[in-house]
Each structure stands twice: as structure tokens, then as C-alpha cells.
Amino acid sequence: MNLLVTGGSGYIGSHAVRLLARGGHEIWIYDDCLRGHRAAVPRGRLIEGEVGDRASIERVLRERRIDAVLHFAGVALVGESMARPDFYERKNLHASAVMFEAMESVGVRQIVFSSTTATYGAPEQMPISEDTPQRPINPYGATKLAVERLLEERCRRDGWAAFALRYFNAAGATPAGDLGEDHDPETHLIPLVLQVALGQRPRITVFGDDYPTPDGTCVRDYVHVDDLARAHAAALDRLRPGDFQACNLGSGCGHSVREVIEACRRATGRAIAEEIGPRREGDPPVLYADIRRAQCVLGWQPEYTDLEAICATAWNWHRTHPKGFDDRGA
Ligand code: UDP
């Protein structure tokens, strides 16, 4: 297939591009490179542009004879979304709506969309299945859910084939060690813990140890980024005209912040200092996925089931790329 990958220079998008290219697809990456990295994209495959630029997207869809879109582009930080809700509406919701108009006008009606656990909010019942009510508690989750609704409507009204993949906590790096996580500023737990192991930070702050969980720290579901990438290939194969489908992608297991820090200590063999800080606003105590639908519908199974193994791939990347892609200001 001829595939357009929006956000293909980002963390999850770049891993998916790597995997899909191996499957023989013709891939074009469409990205504003605001938060991603040109170095994460195969040479000669990057088209720089805004998802919300209708004329530009339409031109690319036509000229490259695109069959399907993988829509990774977007902004994805809960805290930032609370501080800048308008920015999240513009980058996630409005830009997507404009791209969908462009796709319809060119007749591209197949899409795999990067959605998120944040669309569920803070449900009380665990694990989270696709039938769990979606009640987001922050603008990030709300904008992603709104895009899901737009796609559902496109499927019903215009016969589109759409798959929403709801990621839990993406983690790790490709075992080859040349692609990995590089955010600026970094806010995610595993890379921050590994920066402590590298001596780039003095300690990791645990955001609260008084949650109603076995060790008092928050529990999340960490899923390897290459496992997420494989699910996209499976979703592409299972797109059906007129159908909006959604699957959770997680490991199916919950791990506490303390367990993550311990796993990183084992994976790195280094001392990692920690301190207990206050809770981070908006953090639900426990989130983990019921992944039976992904297993059944996508025939997908996470290959990485061990947290330490996931942390080891992340460590391999951070150890060999202490400055990430090293393209700041490039
Ligand atoms: N966390 C933490 N200290 C940090 C960063 C994160 O204790 O410096 C916790 C956070 O409260 C959450 C978990 O680690 O429970 C994962 O956070 P992250 O930001 O990586 O992902 P999120 O779950 O917010 O998508």
C-alpha cells in the first residue's frame, strides 16, 4: 500500500514506520517536526507540513496516490493540555478534522488513528476494556475522543474504514538501539529514571506514595513501542469499509512507579536515587488494559511481557544516545 504516516518523526510513529517499511509498503511521512526528529525518519521520505493545512495534505494524498493514512500526529501531554487546552484543540482536533475533509475530497477513506487510555479518564473498574465508558478528565483525552467520534461518523456516513488504537503507556526502544524516546522537555517516567542512571539528573521524584495501591505509588500499563508498531500493521490488514473499530493496546499488566524504578535498577545495574514528592494533578491511581479484543480482533499479542526487558531496550537507547537524536535547534 501507499501509506501516509502523519507524525512519523515522533516516538511511536518512527517505530511504526520502521516496521511497516519492512512489510514492503511505500511510505511517506508527513510531519511538522515540531516535537519529532528528522533523524528518526528514513532519508528522502519526509514531507514537512501541517496536518491542518488542507491544500498541502490534499496535494500529498493525490500526488503520492495514498491508499491509507496512519495518523500519529498530535500533542500528547496531559499536564500541558490542562495549561493550554486551545492548543490541544487546534493541534489534535481541528487539524484532524481538516485532514479528514481533505481525505474525503480525494477519496482516501482508510485510516488508523493513534488514540489513548486518556479517553477513558479515571474509571473505577479495572482492567479497562473497550466497553468501559469513555469519560476523559483532561483536554488531551477529550480531543482524542472527539477525533474518534469524527471517525465513527465518517465510517457511518461516508463508508470510511477506521481503526482507533488506544495506547496505554508506550515504553522501550527498538532493540537495534538506533531509535528511541527523545522528548524535550522529558516528562515520562522511564526516560527520566534512566537519565538518573546516566547521571544527567540527581534523582527521580515519585509523584505520591499515598495512593490506594499495594505500594502506594501509581500503577500503569507499560507496553513496548515495537509491540504498538506491530499492532498498526495488523489494524491496516483489518480495515473494513463502513466500520469504526477500536482496540486497547497495553501489556495487560499493571506496574507501580516503584516497580518501574526497581526494573530500571536491574536493567542498568546502576544506583538510582529516588525521593517522594507530592501527587501530580490528574493522575488516576491505577490504569491497566484488558487486551482481549486486540488479541482476538487483531491477532496481536505483546512480545514484551517483562518490564525489565522493556526497560533494558530503553536503556540500550539512552546509554548509546545520551543526548537523544542530538538535533536540538537543528
Ligand atoms: N511519574 C513519577 N515521576 C515522574 C514522572 C512520572 O512518579 O517524574 C509517575 C506518574 O505519576 C505516573 C507514571 O509515573 O503514575 C507514568 O507517568 P508518565 O508521565 O510516564 O505517563 P502517563 O501515565 O502520565 O501517561
Side-chain angles (χ1 to χ4, degrees):
M1 288 171 107
N2 293 336
L3 300 176
L4 188 70
V5 182
T6 73
S9 79
Y11 172 42
I12 304 172
S14 60
H15 284 77
V17 164
R18 171 77 60 93
L19 187 117
L20 289 162
R22 267 192 236 131
H25 296 288
E26 181 77 15
I27 297 177
W28 296 98
I29 290 125
Y30 188 86
D31 204 310
D32 61 8
C33 293
L34 188 70
R35 301 207 164 162
H37 302 276
R38 292 177 184 87
V41 168
R43 222 176 280 277
R45 293 277 137 187
L46 176 65
I47 302 163
E48 292 201 36
E50 296 275 343
V51 171
D53 179 344
R54 177 163 174 177
S56 165
I57 280 273
E58 239 185 83
R59 194 168 50 245
V60 172
L61 292 170
R62 249 189 251 285
E63 284 176 3
R64 312 289 174 191
R65 299 174 183 279
I66 297 300
D67 299 304
V69 173
L70 289 114
H71 184 27
F72 292 92
V75 280
L77 296 175
V78 169
E80 183 186 53
S81 80
M82 312 276 262
R84 302 178 67 193
D86 292 348
F87 180 60
Y88 273 67
E89 275 189 17
R90 193 167 68 245
K91 294 293 281 185
N92 288 351
L93 177 55
H94 296 163
S96 297
V98 169
M99 182 175 78
F100 298 164
E101 282 177 24
M103 288 170 63
E104 178 61 24
S105 74
V106 176
V108 178
R109 300 193 175 92
Q110 301 193 84
I111 183 165
V112 179
F113 171 59
S114 299
S115 189
T116 165
T117 336
T119 60
Y120 294 109
E124 275 170 19
Q125 289 276 350
M126 287 298 136
I128 298 174
S129 83
E130 292 77 3
D131 299 324
T132 299
Q134 288 175 290
R135 296 195 191 106
I137 55 168
N138 51 60
Y140 168 54
T143 55
K144 286 288 190 173
L145 179 58
V147 176
E148 283 198 16
R149 297 279 189 262
L150 287 181
L151 287 174
E152 218 171 337
E153 184 59 17
R154 286 282 179 191
C155 292
R156 197 189 57 75
R157 199 176 63 210
D158 301 318
W160 283 32
F163 229 118
L165 298 176
R166 298 178 187 146
Y167 312 149
F168 281 64
N169 288 57
T174 185
D178 57 337
L179 275 184
E181 191 167 8
D182 180 6
H183 298 115
D184 186 22
E186 189 53 78
T187 63
H188 294 111
L189 179 62
I190 293 176
L192 288 175
V193 172
L194 296 177
Q195 286 175 4
V196 179
L198 279 172
Q200 294 175 340
R201 286 176 191 268
R203 66 191 70 82
I204 183 75
T205 305
V206 176
F207 293 153
D209 69 346
D210 57 352
Y211 284 97
T213 60
D215 68 16
T217 66
C218 283
V219 170
R220 295 287 179 274
D221 182 334
Y222 297 87
V223 55
H224 196 275
V225 65
D226 277 345
D227 282 329
L228 293 181
R230 283 188 306 106
H232 290 76
L236 265 182
D237 285 344
R238 287 162 180 81
L239 289 167
R240 285 193 306 255
D243 260 9
F244 173 82
Q245 305 178 76
C247 274
N248 290 339
L249 297 179
S251 71
C253 295
H255 291 288
S256 71
V257 174
R258 281 213 168 96
E259 285 173 338
V260 170
I261 298 170
E262 257 328 301
C264 288
R265 287 190 180 117
R266 290 195 302 273
T268 62
R270 298 199 181 176
I272 295 170
E274 63 178 73
E275 66 179 2
I276 307 300
R279 291 183 178 196
R280 183 171 68 178
E281 200 195 339
D283 264 344
V286 181
L287 298 170
Y288 60 91
D290 178 338
I291 57 170
R292 282 176 299 180
R293 191 187 286 181
Q295 289 168 327
C296 179
V297 174
L298 296 176
W300 175 85
Q301 183 68 33
E303 282 177 8
Y304 288 84
T305 52
D306 176 41
L307 182 62
E308 187 182 332
I310 294 178
C311 295
T313 63
W315 176 236
N316 189 33
W317 157 257
H318 286 282
R319 186 174 52 81
T320 54
H321 299 79
K323 293 181 178 169
F325 289 98
D326 203 11
D327 57 355
R328 305 268 177 264

